[in-house]
Coordinates of all heavy atoms in Angstrom, one line a residue:
Chain Y
G32 N -31.4 6.7 30.9 CA -31.9 7.1 32.1 C -33.2 8.2 31.9 O -33.9 8.5 32.8
P35 N -38.5 6.8 27.2 CA -40.0 6.8 27.5 C -40.4 5.4 28.1 O -41.5 5.6 28.8 CB -40.5 6.7 26.0 CG -39.4 6.1 25.2 CD -38.1 6.6 25.8
E38 N -37.6 -0.4 29.3 CA -37.1 -1.3 28.4 C -36.1 -0.6 27.3 O -35.3 -1.2 26.8 CB -38.2 -2.0 27.6 CG -38.7 -3.2 28.6 CD -39.6 -2.7 29.8 OE1 -39.9 -1.4 29.8 OE2 -39.8 -3.5 30.7
I41 N -32.7 0.3 28.5 CA -31.9 -0.9 28.3 C -31.6 -1.0 26.8 O -30.3 -1.0 26.5 CB -32.6 -2.1 28.8 CG1 -33.0 -2.1 30.3 CG2 -31.7 -3.4 28.6 CD1 -33.8 -3.2 30.8
N45 N -28.0 0.1 24.9 CA -27.2 -1.1 24.3 C -26.8 -0.7 22.9 O -25.6 -1.0 22.5 CB -28.0 -2.3 24.2 CG -27.1 -3.5 24.3 OD1 -26.4 -3.8 25.2 ND2 -27.2 -4.3 23.1
D70 N -7.5 7.1 22.2 CA -7.9 8.3 23.1 C -7.5 9.6 22.6 O -8.2 10.6 22.9 CB -7.6 7.9 24.5 CG -8.5 6.9 25.1 OD1 -9.7 6.9 24.6 OD2 -8.0 6.1 26.0
E238 N -17.9 19.3 25.6 CA -18.5 18.5 26.7 C -17.7 17.1 26.9 O -17.2 16.8 27.9 CB -20.0 18.3 26.6 CG -20.5 17.5 27.7 CD -22.0 17.2 27.6 OE1 -22.7 17.9 26.8 OE2 -22.5 16.4 28.3
V250 N -3.5 9.8 33.5 CA -4.1 8.5 32.9 C -5.3 8.2 33.6 O -5.2 8.1 34.9 CB -3.0 7.5 33.0 CG1 -3.5 6.3 32.5 CG2 -1.7 7.8 32.3
W251 N -6.4 8.0 32.9 CA -7.7 7.7 33.6 C -8.0 6.3 33.6 O -9.0 5.8 33.9 CB -8.7 8.6 33.0 CG -8.5 9.9 33.1 CD1 -7.9 10.8 32.3 CD2 -8.8 10.8 34.3 NE1 -7.9 12.1 32.8 CE2 -8.3 12.0 34.0 CE3 -9.3 10.5 35.6 CZ2 -8.5 13.0 35.0 CZ3 -9.4 11.4 36.5 CH2 -9.0 12.7 36.2
Chain R
T64 N -21.3 11.3 29.1 CA -20.8 12.1 27.9 C -19.4 12.7 28.2 O -18.9 13.3 27.3 CB -21.9 13.3 27.6 OG1 -22.0 14.0 28.8 CG2 -23.1 12.8 27.1
L69 N -12.1 6.4 26.3 CA -13.2 5.5 25.6 C -13.5 4.3 26.5 O -14.7 3.8 26.6 CB -12.7 5.2 24.2 CG -13.7 5.1 23.2 CD1 -14.7 6.3 23.1 CD2 -13.2 4.8 21.8
R71 N -13.4 3.9 29.9 CA -14.2 4.2 31.0 C -15.6 4.6 30.5 O -16.7 4.3 31.2 CB -13.7 5.5 31.7 CG -12.3 5.2 32.4 CD -12.4 4.6 33.7 NE -11.2 4.4 34.4 CZ -10.9 3.3 35.2 NH1 -11.8 2.4 35.3 NH2 -9.7 3.2 35.7
Q80 N -26.6 0.8 32.1 CA -27.5 0.0 31.5 C -27.9 -1.1 32.3 O -29.1 -1.6 32.4 CB -26.9 -0.6 30.1 CG -28.0 -1.2 29.2 CD -27.3 -2.3 28.4 OE1 -26.2 -2.7 28.5 NE2 -28.2 -2.8 27.5
Q87 N -35.7 -3.3 35.9 CA -36.7 -4.2 35.4 C -37.0 -5.5 36.1 O -38.1 -5.9 36.4 CB -36.3 -4.4 33.8 CG -37.5 -4.9 33.0 CD -36.9 -5.5 31.9 OE1 -35.8 -6.0 31.8 NE2 -37.7 -5.4 30.8
R100 N -46.7 -2.0 37.4 CA -45.6 -1.1 37.1 C -46.1 0.5 37.2 O -45.5 1.2 37.8 CB -45.0 -1.4 35.7 CG -44.0 -0.4 35.2 CD -42.6 -0.9 35.4 NE -42.2 -2.0 34.6 CZ -41.5 -2.1 33.5 NH1 -41.0 -0.8 32.9 NH2 -41.2 -3.2 32.8
Q186 N -5.4 14.2 40.5 CA -6.3 13.0 40.6 C -6.4 12.5 42.0 O -7.7 12.1 42.3 CB -5.7 11.9 39.7 CG -6.0 12.1 38.2 CD -5.3 11.0 37.4 OE1 -4.1 10.8 37.4 NE2 -6.1 10.3 36.6
R292 N -37.2 12.3 36.5 CA -38.1 11.2 36.2 C -39.5 11.8 35.7 O -39.9 11.1 34.8 CB -38.3 10.5 37.5 CG -37.2 9.6 38.1 CD -36.5 8.8 36.9 NE -37.4 8.1 36.2 CZ -37.1 7.7 34.9 NH1 -36.0 7.8 34.4 NH2 -38.0 7.0 34.1
R303 N -45.7 5.9 24.7 CA -46.3 4.9 25.2 C -47.9 4.7 24.8 O -48.4 3.6 24.5 CB -46.4 5.0 26.7 CG -45.1 4.8 27.4 CD -45.0 4.8 28.9 NE -45.7 6.0 29.5 CZ -45.0 7.1 29.7 NH1 -43.7 7.3 29.5 NH2 -45.7 8.2 30.3

Side-chain angles (χ1 to χ4, degrees):
Chain Y
E38 282 68 13
I41 301 171
N45 206 66
D70 285 327
E238 179 179 344
V250 178
W251 294 100
Chain R
T64 57
L69 217 46
R71 294 278 181 216
Q80 188 205 16
Q87 198 199 27
R100 178 94 68 100
Q186 282 176 305
R292 288 312 317 155
R303 296 188 298 275

